[in-house]
Amino acid sequence: MPLNQYVYFALSSRRITAQEITEALGIEPDETRVHNPRRLPVDPARPFSQSWKVVCREPGLCVDEQIAHVLDRLRPRTDRIAELMKQFNRAEDEEEQGLQAVLEVVRYFNDDEQQDEAGQPQERDERNLFGWALDREAIAFLAATGTVLDVDEYDIISSPPSD
């Protein structure tokens, strides 16, 4: 079964910019994104939300190996990430949180087209990429930084040819 998967760690905020996160952590992100779905006029003009991401899209790795690549870059800044989370999340109401951390796992099954683009072999690979687990170090990082683990899995089913 063709499989395309990637992992990223994101810090998202309505109150702190991706550039400010970069400066606070001393780590350049792989990606940043500005989310402004409402485009409401605000004075001063501020984006709805910004995301700062460290990403691993390397094909042929199991999810736990992709997670390890991402967390290896972040572990030296675990304490600083935890400090930022505390600084911007003093409110008890989750809706008032100023900074959110997520470790996102995204997997597409039966995805021939994306698999080709990712450069993964179409032939049966001897490695089983379907199973994965979090080790104690990963769990400790998630706990220390207040990071949520989110796993999205999609089964891309081709529609049968119509008669």
Side-chain angles (χ1 to χ4, degrees):
M1 173 186 307
L3 172 66
N4 180 33
Q5 57 193 13
Y6 62 94
V7 169
Y8 66 84
F9 172 85
L11 290 170
S12 300
S13 180
R14 295 177 191 218
R15 295 178 31 209
I16 181 173
T17 67
Q19 182 58 41
E20 291 169 319
I21 293 170
T22 300
E23 290 168 6
L25 298 180
I27 301 171
E28 286 295 323
D30 296 318
E31 300 174 8
T32 60
R33 184 171 179 195
V34 176
H35 311 271
N36 195 0
R38 297 184 196 154
R39 300 189 192 271
L40 298 174
V42 177
D43 189 23
R46 294 193 73 159
F48 180 76
S49 177
Q50 290 195 29
S51 295
W52 177 100
K53 297 179 180 180
V54 173
V55 184
C56 181
R57 297 181 191 275
E58 192 172 328
L61 296 180
C62 296
V63 168
D64 42 352
E65 293 170 319
Q66 290 178 326
I67 290 171
H69 279 264
V70 169
L71 296 187
D72 285 349
R73 288 181 54 197
L74 297 170
R75 268 195 199 93
R77 300 294 192 270
T78 300
D79 292 342
R80 188 62 189 128
I81 294 168
E83 287 173 27
L84 279 177
M85 291 295 288
K86 286 179 188 168
Q87 178 183 349
F88 286 94
N89 294 316
R90 296 199 190 278
E92 290 183 25
D93 182 9
E94 276 192 34
E95 301 226 357
E96 291 296 317
Q97 289 187 348
L99 187 62
Q100 296 175 330
V102 65
L103 180 64
E104 186 79 37
V105 176
V106 182
R107 307 175 87 198
Y108 295 92
F109 300 96
N110 293 313
D111 191 1
D112 292 320
E113 183 177 315
Q114 287 204 24
Q115 186 127 357
D116 288 341
E117 290 174 11
Q120 292 185 1
Q122 290 297 304
E123 301 169 6
R124 288 195 140 229
D125 190 352
E126 60 273 355
R127 292 192 71 201
N128 179 357
L129 300 180
F130 295 106
W132 60 281
L134 291 177
D135 62 21
R136 286 187 176 106
E137 288 180 3
I139 293 169
F141 174 86
L142 298 179
T145 59
T147 300
V148 172
L149 173 64
D150 184 30
V151 179
D152 293 339
E153 296 185 330
Y154 305 96
D155 187 4
I156 309 297
I157 301 173
S158 302
S159 40
S162 47
D163 295 328

